[in-house]
Amino acid sequence: MKWWKTASVALGILTAIGFAGCGSEQAASNADSKGAGEFLNVSYDPTREFYAEFNQVFTGEWKKESGQDVEFRQSNGGSGKQARSVIEGLEADVVTLALAYDVDEIAQAGLIDKDWLKKFPDNSAPYTSTIVFLVRKGNPKNIHDWDDLVRDDVKIVTPNPKTSGGARWNYLAAWEYARQKFNGDETQVKGFIKKLFQNVVALDSGARGATTSFVQRGQGDVLIAWENEALITLKDSPDYEIVAPSLSILAEPSVAVVDKVVDKKGTRKVAEAYINYLYSENGQEIAAKNFYRPRNKAVFEKYKGQFPELKLFTIDDAFGGWTKAQKEHFADGGTFDQIYQK
Amino acid sequence: MLRLGQVIPGGGFALGIVFFYLSLLIFLPLGAFVLYASGMSGESFIRQVTDYRMVHGYMLSFGCALAAAVINAVFGLLLAWVLVRYNFPGKRLMDGLIDLPFALPTAVAGIALTTLYVENGWLGQFFYAAGIPSAFSAVGITIALIFVGIPFVVRSVQPVLRDLDGSLEEAAAIMGAGKFLTFRKVIFPELVTPLISGFALAFARGIGEYGSVVFIAGNMPYETEIAPLLIMTKLEQFDYQAAAAVAIVMLGMSLLVLLILNGYQHYRLQRLGA
């Protein structure tokens, strides 16, 4: 009896260790079981409707061009979480994320070439968006610019920049406005941002959550939001208005081919065609219809009416790129943490 | 002498399966994040986990979980009592509803609770009128944890209460004990053990709860950031080590609490048994 007991315990432990050893390969082959005819675009939350439409159109295009039947799939979620899934083995052919920072992290992990930003035109961002204010119909609190957000009687809804990619754009837009207003005096800028965040009623963990707080629960007087999210909300409901601040940030959601995955699956050609099609006139039009600002001038002119006019700056000009901005503002001990320290 | 466990044939094999199963499902995942954190130096580990923001997060999570577990112990006992001892229409339905917090996806619970308890929500308006901020505050977090924790207490106490020997109460009554004295001296001591295990489960669940809490918490730094949210913010910065470090501290503390409560239970059983 005794040897049997010892042996089976040992067997149990050994098998467990064995499982641990091949754990990483297992994750990879799981994702692979999708087969060669499938293609995965890992994206962030608000692009759901956009890529649903885009994939449908591109399926036909690709069939015409190559004769192949490929099933184009998408996965949506918080941008940072999506990037982590790819790093941990989700076999994405392309990623279309909210921030260059998240794509950089995947590149750091060795899955994407370090020079990805230069692979496609316009910083590998085929469409852009910006940050605007959503207020209640009639603008009862008379909110017109960032200055109004630091008034004592205004309550703000915005997600937490620590957990939401979109919220980081919000924060940087406000920061740059304050920096120009106070001629770069950092103490005053921080004071402004601190005041702004004191007016925030709740920091939801994601952009969609913040929209729910503002729209469904009637929290706050103003939602700092993605322009495309604000326009979608407006389309569904007439109870809101968009207010464009005098200055905002040009949000450039990044796209990239996941080199390691496409080389393994042999899908580089279709992945590159997919992203190039985003830049085509047709692709740009689909983006514009889903409230993203197209890069193509002609298409933008056509849809100009739906986008509020405002002055835009880029993160490269104002903050020297994402890596630097992330480190200075959102890493532990950065300016966002500082404004909350007593 | 034949030991009790060996009555069932294949005891050694069963033990092997159990070991394998536990290794795969519990020890390995736990080991994995200890491994993640082991890349840090001891100094940076200490610095990470003793940062004021983290400490505030643990205190908030533990405090709210404790408050919710205490409230659940009191009302869970009452609920179990009513469900076992009384008959009323709809009792079956009510009994079934107790498990709802187990079944409901936590995010759904969180969104529903937040909608109810915000300043202009159905229930929130009364709380706010009374000067209690019932959303985006520690009170809100506690409300969410009460919701997810209640079945643990009810389901621990209920079977014991149901199987309680009625003749003891009869004896107490014959010997002249009043209702209160009977409850205090005869019934309650029997319920302490299941009550503690229900309390411990509700408490442990509350410490780690994320899904239902993030919506109602408001997530304000240094105010309503629960410890699991801080783990998420670390992950969002791709800082796996720091996330694992905070997780280890939380796990260690939960384990300690569970051990103390189990130890106390064991001690009680021994004393009662003697």
Side-chain angles (χ1 to χ4, degrees):
Chain A
M1 193 80 182
K2 206 165 176 203
W3 69 269
W4 174 220
K5 201 186 239 171
T6 323
S8 49
V9 170
L11 183 77
I13 292 169
L14 275 179
T15 325
I17 292 167
F19 260 96
C22 63
S24 51
E25 274 165 56
Q26 188 119 37
S29 65
N30 262 349
D32 204 26
S33 63
K34 284 194 304 283
E38 291 185 16
F39 181 95
L40 181 64
N41 170 8
V42 169
S43 195
Y44 62 112
D45 250 333
T47 61
R48 206 175 300 261
E49 294 83 7
F50 166 40
Y51 278 110
E53 191 178 341
F54 181 85
N55 286 347
Q56 207 182 3
V57 174
F58 189 70
T59 307
E61 285 295 320
W62 185 247
K63 171 98 177 148
K64 247 192 295 176
E65 201 184 311
S66 69
Q68 289 175 332
D69 280 306
V70 179
E71 194 184 331
F72 292 93
R73 294 189 174 200
Q74 67 194 80
S75 155
N76 298 88
S79 190
K81 195 186 109 252
Q82 294 291 79
R84 277 200 307 281
S85 303
V86 174
I87 292 171
E88 282 153 19
L90 178 65
E91 296 218 313
D93 297 276
V94 298
V95 288
T96 54
L97 297 175
L99 324 168
Y101 174 71
D102 290 328
V103 182
D104 272 335
E105 280 297 324
I106 305 175
Q108 283 282 320
L111 297 171
I112 295 176
D113 189 87
K114 291 258 190 313
D115 288 330
W116 65 270
L117 201 70
K118 305 273 166 264
K119 290 265 164 80
F120 295 97
D122 302 315
N123 287 333
S124 289
Y127 44 83
T128 65
S129 190
T130 184
I131 299 302
V132 295
F133 305 156
L134 195 66
V135 298
R136 298 185 194 285
K137 188 85 199 166
N139 197 356
K141 285 284 171 88
N142 215 7
I143 292 162
H144 297 288
D145 208 346
W146 294 101
D147 282 319
D148 295 310
L149 300 194
V150 297
R151 267 168 29 203
D152 289 334
D153 63 325
V154 171
K155 286 185 177 161
I156 305 169
V157 177
T158 179
N160 190 332
K162 286 269 190 177
T163 50
S164 158
R168 282 175 222 161
W169 293 110
N170 299 356
Y171 184 94
L172 293 177
W175 184 279
E176 179 60 16
Y177 174 83
R179 185 159 62 189
Q180 294 191 7
K181 181 182 157 105
F182 298 116
N183 290 318
D185 182 318
E186 179 127 348
T187 320
Q188 279 181 299
V189 174
K190 266 190 204 160
F192 183 90
I193 299 290
K194 186 171 181 161
K195 193 89 206 308
L196 194 151
F197 273 86
Q198 276 167 355
N199 283 346
V200 172
V201 274
L203 291 164
D204 281 285
S205 57
R208 277 275 154 103
T211 309
T212 311
S213 280
F214 183 74
V215 174
Q216 254 87 23
R217 297 190 196 116
Q219 295 296 296
D221 305 307
V222 53
L223 172 75
I224 311 178
W226 285 107
E227 181 185 57
N228 57 304
E229 283 271 284
L231 285 166
I232 290 179
T233 309
L234 220 59
K235 192 175 80 174
D236 296 338
S237 158
D239 302 334
Y240 306 93
E241 292 180 13
I242 288 179
V243 170
S246 63
L247 178 77
S248 193
I249 194 164
L250 181 73
E252 299 180 293
S254 305
V255 301
V257 171
V258 185
D259 297 290
K260 267 272 170 62
V261 175
V262 294
D263 287 343
K264 191 179 136 205
K265 283 171 70 180
T267 48
R268 177 172 288 280
K269 242 178 130 180
V270 54
E272 278 169 3
Y274 185 89
I275 286 184
N276 280 323
Y277 197 69
L278 285 169
Y279 288 91
S280 74
E281 205 171 311
N282 210 354
Q284 292 280 294
E285 188 124 352
I286 298 170
K289 269 192 264 170
N290 286 282
F291 307 116
Y292 283 94
R293 291 174 178 240
R295 292 282 197 182
N296 182 311
K297 293 237 164 51
V299 178
F300 184 76
E301 278 305 314
K302 195 171 153 194
Y303 287 87
K304 208 175 164 191
Q306 71 183 18
F307 300 113
E309 261 181 72
L310 70 174
K311 214 172 101 195
L312 296 170
F313 65 89
T314 70
I315 186 162
D316 289 342
D317 294 344
F319 295 94
W322 260 112
T323 312
K324 197 155 166 272
Q326 173 75 25
K327 209 169 138 213
E328 278 178 22
H329 297 282
F330 309 116
D332 286 340
T335 64
F336 179 70
D337 286 351
Q338 288 165 26
I339 62 168
Y340 279 100
Q341 265 150 17
K342 278 152 198 159
Chain B
M1 216 170 80
L2 191 69
R3 288 223 315 274
L4 199 62
Q6 285 165 352
V7 171
I8 306 166
F13 185 59
L15 191 67
I17 290 179
V18 166
F19 251 89
F20 173 65
Y21 193 75
L22 281 182
S23 308
L24 202 63
L25 289 171
I26 298 178
F27 300 144
L28 265 180
L30 292 185
F33 71 79
V34 172
L35 207 67
Y36 260 127
S38 67
M40 308 171 89
S41 69
E43 191 198 348
S44 71
F45 180 89
I46 300 287
R47 192 154 25 83
Q48 270 298 342
V49 301
T50 55
D51 179 48
Y52 174 64
R53 192 169 192 174
M54 295 299 144
V55 175
H56 187 277
Y58 311 136
M59 287 190 341
L60 185 72
S61 276
F62 276 81
C64 291
L66 186 68
V70 167
I71 293 170
N72 273 336
V74 174
F75 286 92
L77 179 63
L78 186 69
L79 253 165
W81 179 266
V82 168
L83 285 174
V84 171
R85 295 288 172 110
Y86 291 77
N87 273 313
F88 53 91
K91 178 172 150 172
R92 271 269 172 80
L93 184 72
M94 194 165 143
D95 194 55
L97 285 179
I98 299 284
D99 287 328
L100 207 62
F102 277 153
L104 210 61
T106 50
V108 175
I111 289 170
L113 288 171
T114 312
T115 306
L116 282 177
Y117 284 97
V118 288
E119 200 165 353
N120 47 7
W122 283 359
L123 293 169
Q125 51 183 319
F126 303 113
F127 277 91
Y128 278 86
I132 303 166
S134 55
F136 312 137
S137 64
V139 178
I141 297 171
T142 309
I143 289 172
L145 295 182
I146 291 173
F147 179 82
V148 296
I150 190 84
F152 290 102
V153 176
V154 177
R155 292 298 181 235
S156 301
V157 174
Q158 215 175 6
V160 178
L161 198 56
R162 198 181 291 129
D163 296 343
L164 216 56
D165 191 353
S167 58
L168 288 176
E169 282 169 64
E170 276 170 35
I174 289 165
M175 288 195 275
K179 277 185 178 160
F180 183 70
L181 191 68
T182 309
F183 181 78
R184 201 166 62 94
K185 290 280 188 189
V186 178
I187 302 173
F188 189 70
E190 296 288 326
L191 297 181
V192 171
T193 307
L195 205 55
I196 289 174
S197 63
F199 173 86
L201 288 171
F203 181 55
R205 169 73 191 263
I207 292 168
E209 179 62 22
Y210 177 75
S212 62
V213 179
V214 280
F215 297 97
I216 202 166
N219 310 331
M220 308 295 276
Y222 299 100
E223 282 176 37
T224 54
E225 278 185 332
I226 52 167
L229 179 84
L230 292 170
I231 295 180
M232 288 304 291
T233 69
K234 297 286 179 202
L235 287 177
E236 212 54 40
Q237 296 168 52
F238 302 96
D239 192 347
Y240 292 76
Q241 289 188 346
V246 178
I248 286 172
V249 170
M250 285 185 62
L251 193 80
M253 289 198 277
S254 305
L255 203 65
L256 195 70
V257 172
L258 289 177
L259 280 179
I260 291 171
L261 289 174
N262 273 336
Y264 176 70
Q265 255 179 350
H266 191 69
Y267 160 80
R268 267 188 67 88
L269 284 177
Q270 294 266 310
R271 211 186 48 176
L272 288 176

